[in-house]
Amino acid sequence: MRKVNIFLENKEEGNEFCRIANTFTDDVDLNCGSMNLDGKSALGMFCFTYPLKAEAVLISDNQDDIRRFDAAMERFRMDRGENL
C-alpha cells in the first residue's frame, strides 16, 4: 500500500487523476476528511469541491506498481499547492 498527499486544483486535474488511477489494476482510493471514494470513479470526482487537498491510496503490494504510482502522483504533490 502507498499513500500520497495530493492537491487537485480544479475539475480538470480531478479528471486527470481519475484517468491515471484507471491505469492501475489494483484499487486507488481518494480520502478527504471523512469522505473516502474510489479514485477510479469519474462520478466520484464530482463529489468534491476544488481546490482539493486529499490522500491518494494505492492498495497494492506490487513494488513496480508502487513506483509507477509514486511517479504518476508527482504532478499532484501536496506541496505544489501550499503557496496558493
Side-chain angles (χ1 to χ4, degrees):
M1 180 183 317
R2 172 70 82 207
K3 297 179 180 182
V4 177
N5 291 323
I6 63 169
F7 177 82
L8 301 174
E9 190 169 347
N10 51 44
K11 283 192 290 188
E12 289 76 23
E13 284 193 356
N15 290 336
E16 180 65 9
F17 173 86
C18 183
R19 187 194 66 73
I20 291 169
N22 275 291
T23 67
F24 291 89
T25 303
D26 295 307
D27 290 340
V28 176
D29 293 334
L30 198 56
N31 304 327
C32 181
S34 62
M35 290 184 71
N36 300 313
L37 295 174
D38 180 356
K40 295 181 178 184
S41 169
L43 185 57
M45 298 309 292
F46 285 107
C47 293
F48 292 113
T49 303
Y50 296 92
L52 172 69
K53 292 181 180 182
E55 179 181 64
V57 182
L58 172 67
I59 313 294
S60 177
D61 292 328
N62 181 303
Q63 292 303 309
D64 290 333
D65 283 346
I66 289 172
R67 281 190 288 279
R68 191 166 63 88
F69 182 75
D70 285 342
M73 292 300 107
E74 272 299 307
R75 69 184 327 158
F76 304 118
R77 286 177 50 93
M78 177 70 81
D79 58 9
R80 160 181 88 95
E82 289 296 308
N83 296 323
L84 296 178

